[in-house]
C-alpha cells in the first residue's frame, strides 16, 4: 500500500551508493565473511534480479548477498524514492539488523536500481517480490488477491529477456498463479525457455534477519519435469550456502503456493482461538495467561502464538486468510470457506471488544477526554502499520469524539494517515477535522500528560520500563490503563492507583473470589 512495487517499465538508473559501509542502528550485530573487493561483475557465478524493493525483497536479497559473495544480487523497483532510500543510510523500512547486512554488501555484490530492463537481461534468476493486495472492487472484492503486479512483472521479463531464465514467485499468491505467469512467459517472441518456481517467504517482521539467517525451512516448488527439477535444484544451491540441505524442501508448484497461505492461516487461527478464550476468561474470572500456559505445555499444542492481545495485524495474516476463503468459495467448498472466515470475524470482534471496553469502563463516554495510545505499529520492532489493530481502536475513539494522542517510536504520522485512509476510509476529506483530533506525540510521557487513560496497543519493550508513578501523577483521575498486549505489571499499577483493564484478565473489582 505504501510502496509502489509495480514493474511495468524502466526508469533511469540511480548511482547513489556512496555511504558508509558500517551503519549500526541497534544492538543486533551480524558478522559475515568479508567480500573480496576484486570480484567484478563478470566474475560472479550467478546473477539474481529481484523485482520489488519492499519488506520482503530488500531483506531477503540482502541476506542472499551476504551469504553468497560470488552471487551478484540487484533489487529493482519503479520508485526512485524507494531505491534512493535503499542506497542511503536511511533505509525505507525498519528492521533490526538490516542496516548492518546492507552495509556489508552494498556496492560489492548487492545493488539497488531502477534500471529494470538491464538488470533483467543480465539475470540468471529473477525473483518476483511485489505486492499482492486484497482486491477492493470487482469479482472477489474484499477476499481475492490482486495478482496484477505479478502479471506485469512476467510481461516485463518476457519483453526484455534475451536468454533463458528461472523466474521465482516470492510474493504470496493464490494457488495456480504460477500457471498464469508461465503462460505469459511462454508467449515471448524469442523462443526463450523459462522455468517458474514458487519460493514463498516465511519471515516475520521484527525478526526478519534472524529468520532469514536461520530459517526453519526453505520451500521451493517447481514443475515435476527434468527441467523444473533442475531449476529447483539450482535455486536450492543458492540457499545451501548457509541453510542445511535437509531444511530445503522441494515440492510441486501448487503445494508450495498453498503452503504459504495455510501456514499463515494456522498461525492466525491460534491467535483468534486464544483471543476467543480471553473473552470467556474476563466473564468467568479465569486468567488467560494461566490458561495459555497450561494448554501450551501440552507438546501436541505447543506454547507459541498463544498470547492473547487486541488481535493480529500486518500485511499477511488477514490478506492470506481472505485469499484462502475465496479459493475455497471458488472451488465450491463453502463450509471450508466459512470455517476460515471465522478466524477473521473473531479478530474483528476482539478489536471492537477492546474499544467498547475502554468506553464502558470510562463511565460510558470518552467525549472530550484525552486518551494516550502507546504503540501504533502492528507489532514491536517494525514501523509497519498495515492492518494494525491500533488503527481500529483509534478510529473508534475518534468516532466517540475523544482527543487521541499517539506515540510510537518508529511510526511516522504520514504513514499512519495513509493506512487510516486506505483501510478505514478515515481522512480529512471524509471526516473534516479528524486530523486535529489525533495528535502524534514525541514521547510516551508527552502522550500521557493530562490523559484520562492510556492504552498499550503495541508490545514495544520500552513501554515496560516507563516510570508509571510519574505518569500517574500527571494524569487525570481516576487514571485508567488498558493493556492490549498484557506486557505490564498490573498489580504494581494498581498499587500506584491506576484502574487496570487487561485482555483476558479478571477484574478484581468484579470478582471477590480470585
Amino acid at each position: 500500500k505504501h510502496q509502489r512495487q509495480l514493474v511495468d517499465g524502466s526508469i533511469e538508473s540511480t548511482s547513489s551508493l556512496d555511504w558508509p559501509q558500517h551503519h549500526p542502528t541497534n544492538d543486533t550485530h551480524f558478522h559475515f565473511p568479508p567480500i573480496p573487493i576484486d570480484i567484478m561483475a563478470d566474475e560472479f557465478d550467478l546473477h539474481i534480479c529481484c523485482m520489488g524493493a519492499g519488506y520482503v525483497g530488500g531483506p531477503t536479497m540482502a541476506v542472499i548477498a551476504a551469504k553468497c559473495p560470488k552471487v551478484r544480487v540487484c533489487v529493482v523497483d519503479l520508485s526512485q524514492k524507494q531505491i534512493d532510500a535503499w542506497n542511503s543510510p536511511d533505509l525505507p523500512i525498519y528492521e533490526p539488523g538490516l542496516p548492518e547486512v546492507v552495509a556489508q554488501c552494498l556496492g560489492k555484490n548487492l545493488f539497488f536500481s531502477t534500471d529494470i530492463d538491464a538488470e533483467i537481461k543480465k539475470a540468471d534468476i529473477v525473483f518476483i517480490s511485489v505486492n499482492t493486495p486484497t482486491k477492493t472492487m470487482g469479482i472477489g472484492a474484499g477476499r481475492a488477491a490482486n495478482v496484477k503486479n505479478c502479471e506485469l512483472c512476467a510481461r516485463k521479463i518476457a519483453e526484455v529477456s534475451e536468454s533463458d531464465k528461472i523466474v521465482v514467485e516470492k510474493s504470496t499468491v493464490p494457488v495456480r498463479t504460477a500457471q498464469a505467469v508461465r503462460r505469459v512467459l511462454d508467449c515471448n517472441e524469442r523462443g526463450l525457455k523459462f522455468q517458474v518456481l514458487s519460493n514463498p517467504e516465511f519471515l516475520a517482521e521484527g525478526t526478519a534477519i534472524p529468520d532469514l539467517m536461520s530459517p526453519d525451512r526453505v520451500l521451493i516448488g517447481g514443475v515435476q519435469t527434468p527441467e523444473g527439477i533442475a531449476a529447483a535444484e539450482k535455486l536450492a544451491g543458492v540457499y545451501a550456502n548457509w541453510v542445511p540441505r535437509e531444511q530445503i524442501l522441494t515440492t510441486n508448484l501448487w503445494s508450495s503456493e498453498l503452503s504459504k497461505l495455510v501456514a499463515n492461516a494456522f498461525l492466525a487461527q491460534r491467535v483468534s482461538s486464544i483471543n476467543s478464550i480471553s473473552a470467556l476468561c474476563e466473564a468467568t474470572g479465569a486468567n488467560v495467561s494461566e490458561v495459555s500456559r497450561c494448554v501450551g505445555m501440552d507438546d501436541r499444542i505447543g506454547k507459541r502464538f498463544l498470547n492473547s492481545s487486541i488481535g493480529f495485524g500486518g500485511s499477511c495474516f488477514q490478506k492470506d486468510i481472505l485469499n484462502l476463503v475465496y479459493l475455497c468459495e471458488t472451488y465450491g467448498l463453502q463450509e471450508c470457506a466459512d470455517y476460515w472466515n471465522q478466524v477473521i470475524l473473531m479478530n474483528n470482534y476482539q478489536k471492537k471488544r477492546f474499544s467498547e471496553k475502554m468506553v464502558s469502563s470510562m463511565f460510558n463516554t470518552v467525549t472530550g477526554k484525552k486518551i494516550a495510545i502507546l504503540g501504533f505499529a502492528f507489532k514491536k520492532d517494525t514501523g509497519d502499520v498495515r492492518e494494525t489493530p491500533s488503527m481500529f481502536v483509534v478510529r473508534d475513539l475518534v468516532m466517540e469524539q475523544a482527543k487521541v494522542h499517539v506515540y510510537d517510536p518508529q511510526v511516522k504520522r504520514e504513514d499512519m494517515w495513509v493506512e487510516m485512509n486506505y483501510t478505514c476510509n478515515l481522512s480529512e476529506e471524509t471526516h473534516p477535522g479528524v486530523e486535529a483530533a489525533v495528535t502524534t506525540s514525541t514521547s510516551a510521557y508527552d502522550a500521557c500528560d493530562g490523559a484520562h487513560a492510556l492504552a498499550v496497543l503495541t508490545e514495544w519493550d520500552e513501554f515496560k520500563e516507563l516510570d508509571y508513578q510519574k505518569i500517574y501523577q500527571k494524569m487525570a483521575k481516576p487514571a485508567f490503563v488498558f493493556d492490549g498486549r498484557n506486557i505490564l505489571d498490573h498489580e504494581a499499577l494498581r498499587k500506584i492507583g491506576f484502574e487496570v483493564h487487561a485482555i483476558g484478565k479478571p477484574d478484581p473489582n468484579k470478582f471477590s473470589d480470585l
Side-chain angles (χ1 to χ4, degrees):
K1 293 169 196 171
H2 313 306
Q3 300 170 355
R4 306 308 300 162
Q5 297 180 2
L6 311 186
V7 182
D8 55 7
S10 63
I11 306 177
E12 64 179 293
S13 87
T14 178
S15 59
S16 53
L17 300 175
D18 53 342
W19 61 285
Q21 294 301 300
H22 297 283
H23 184 70
T25 59
N26 50 59
D27 295 331
T28 305
H29 298 284
F30 299 93
H31 303 284
F32 312 99
I35 297 173
I37 299 298
D38 60 351
I39 289 181
M40 302 302 291
D42 58 356
E43 295 180 0
F44 289 113
D45 294 337
L46 192 71
H47 290 71
I48 291 177
C49 172
C50 177
M51 305 176 78
Y55 280 95
V56 175
T60 302
M61 294 301 116
V63 169
I64 289 178
K67 293 295 188 179
C68 308
K70 291 287 284 182
V71 175
R72 182 186 185 275
V73 180
C74 186
V75 184
V76 298
D77 201 284
L78 279 177
S79 170
Q80 186 71 53
K81 178 181 178 182
Q82 186 81 347
I83 293 301
D84 287 345
W86 280 108
N87 284 321
S88 78
D90 187 18
L91 301 185
I93 64 174
Y94 173 77
E95 190 66 46
L98 180 60
E100 291 89 341
V101 181
V102 173
Q104 175 74 17
C105 307
L106 190 63
K108 298 176 182 177
N109 70 327
L110 175 64
F111 304 88
F112 295 89
S113 174
T114 52
D115 196 347
I116 297 167
D117 291 20
E119 293 299 336
I120 291 176
K121 288 177 182 178
K122 69 178 67 169
D124 302 297
I125 301 176
V126 181
F127 283 81
I128 296 176
S129 184
V130 292
N131 197 17
T132 53
T134 302
K135 291 180 68 173
T136 57
M137 60 182 66
I139 298 173
R143 302 185 308 286
N146 189 338
V147 295
K148 174 188 71 172
N149 298 349
C150 291
E151 181 181 333
L152 288 173
C153 286
R155 292 187 180 279
K156 173 55 66 175
I157 295 168
E159 174 193 339
V160 306
S161 292
E162 297 176 345
S163 60
D164 297 349
K165 301 186 187 300
I166 297 172
V167 177
V168 182
E169 290 177 341
K170 199 67 177 172
S171 303
T172 303
V173 294
V175 184
R176 304 202 74 84
T177 298
Q179 184 177 37
V181 171
R182 191 168 55 198
R183 287 190 61 189
V184 170
L185 293 171
D186 286 345
C187 290
N188 75 88
E189 298 177 352
R190 297 181 178 86
L192 301 176
K193 301 297 182 183
F194 296 92
Q195 292 299 320
V196 179
L197 302 177
S198 169
N199 176 218
E201 54 81 16
F202 294 101
L203 58 85
E205 289 183 45
T207 59
I209 300 304
D211 291 345
L212 288 164
M213 294 290 184
S214 302
D216 48 18
R217 82 283 203 196
V218 171
L219 178 58
I220 300 172
V223 177
Q224 299 302 290
T225 63
E227 296 81 7
I229 293 171
E233 284 302 313
K234 188 169 187 177
L235 180 58
V238 174
Y239 287 107
N241 279 282
W242 77 97
V243 180
R245 192 59 183 83
E246 60 270 17
Q247 292 173 224
I248 302 175
L249 310 179
T250 54
T251 68
N252 72 35
L253 266 173
W254 323 125
S255 296
S256 178
E257 288 181 333
L258 182 58
S259 293
K260 167 63 178 187
L261 298 181
V262 173
N264 278 344
F266 271 55
L267 293 174
Q269 179 194 47
R270 286 175 69 94
V271 175
S272 282
S273 293
I274 196 63
N275 280 343
S276 72
I277 300 303
S278 73
L280 184 60
C281 287
E282 291 173 31
T284 61
N287 185 321
V288 72
S289 296
E290 295 174 349
V291 173
S292 175
R293 185 168 70 249
C294 178
V295 171
M297 290 183 73
D298 186 329
D299 58 12
R300 296 171 301 174
I301 299 172
K303 301 176 182 179
R304 302 192 64 185
F305 278 78
L306 289 180
N307 293 323
S308 188
S309 68
I310 54 172
F312 58 76
S315 64
C316 295
F317 281 6
Q318 176 155 314
K319 181 190 75 169
D320 291 354
I321 293 175
L322 290 172
N323 191 347
L324 188 61
V325 168
Y326 183 68
L327 281 171
C328 292
E329 291 175 342
T330 300
Y331 289 103
L333 305 172
Q334 190 59 48
E335 289 81 4
C336 300
D338 292 343
Y339 175 84
W340 286 109
N341 193 53
Q342 189 61 41
V343 175
I344 298 295
L345 296 180
M346 180 55 62
N347 195 53
N348 293 339
Y349 165 72
Q350 187 77 343
K351 292 178 288 190
K352 186 174 185 294
R353 193 171 73 85
F354 189 85
S355 299
E356 292 177 345
K357 182 71 170 288
M358 290 184 68
V359 175
S360 64
S361 299
M362 298 175 68
F363 316 115
N364 291 312
T365 179
V366 293
T367 301
K369 295 177 180 177
K370 177 179 178 179
I371 310 292
I373 300 296
L374 301 187
F376 196 85
F378 85 92
K379 62 185 289 189
K380 72 173 185 176
D381 293 333
T382 180
D384 195 349
V385 298
R386 290 176 290 181
E387 295 293 343
T388 177
S390 304
M391 165 178 55
F392 298 96
V393 176
V394 169
R395 177 202 62 189
D396 293 344
L397 293 174
V398 168
M399 292 297 99
E400 291 287 336
Q401 301 181 53
K403 297 177 180 178
V404 180
H405 288 241
V406 179
Y407 167 70
D408 189 289
Q410 289 297 329
V411 173
K412 299 175 182 177
R413 182 179 178 87
E414 176 186 1
D415 293 339
M416 184 177 81
W417 281 110
V418 166
E419 180 65 16
M420 294 277 279
N421 183 30
Y422 184 93
T423 302
C424 297
N425 194 32
L426 188 63
S427 67
E428 196 65 26
E429 290 184 2
T430 60
H431 296 80
V434 68
E435 289 201 25
V438 180
T439 301
T440 43
S441 301
T442 57
S443 75
Y445 294 106
D446 287 344
C448 295
D449 191 1
H452 291 75
L454 68 88
V456 176
L457 302 186
T458 308
E459 71 278 22
W460 287 102
D461 291 338
E462 68 178 81
F463 298 154
K464 303 175 188 177
E465 310 300 327
L466 295 174
D467 185 345
Y468 284 97
Q469 181 68 57
K470 174 182 175 181
I471 289 174
Y472 178 78
Q473 291 173 352
K474 293 190 174 183
M475 287 181 64
K477 307 299 186 297
F480 295 86
V481 169
F482 298 93
D483 189 353
R485 297 289 182 172
N486 284 340
I487 63 171
L488 304 181
D489 186 337
H490 303 148
E491 288 307 310
L493 292 173
R494 290 188 175 106
K495 289 179 180 178
I496 290 173
F498 287 104
E499 180 172 324
V500 181
H501 298 273
I503 297 284
K505 300 298 180 73
D507 183 350
N509 295 323
K510 181 178 178 182
F511 297 96
S512 59
D513 56 353
L514 298 177

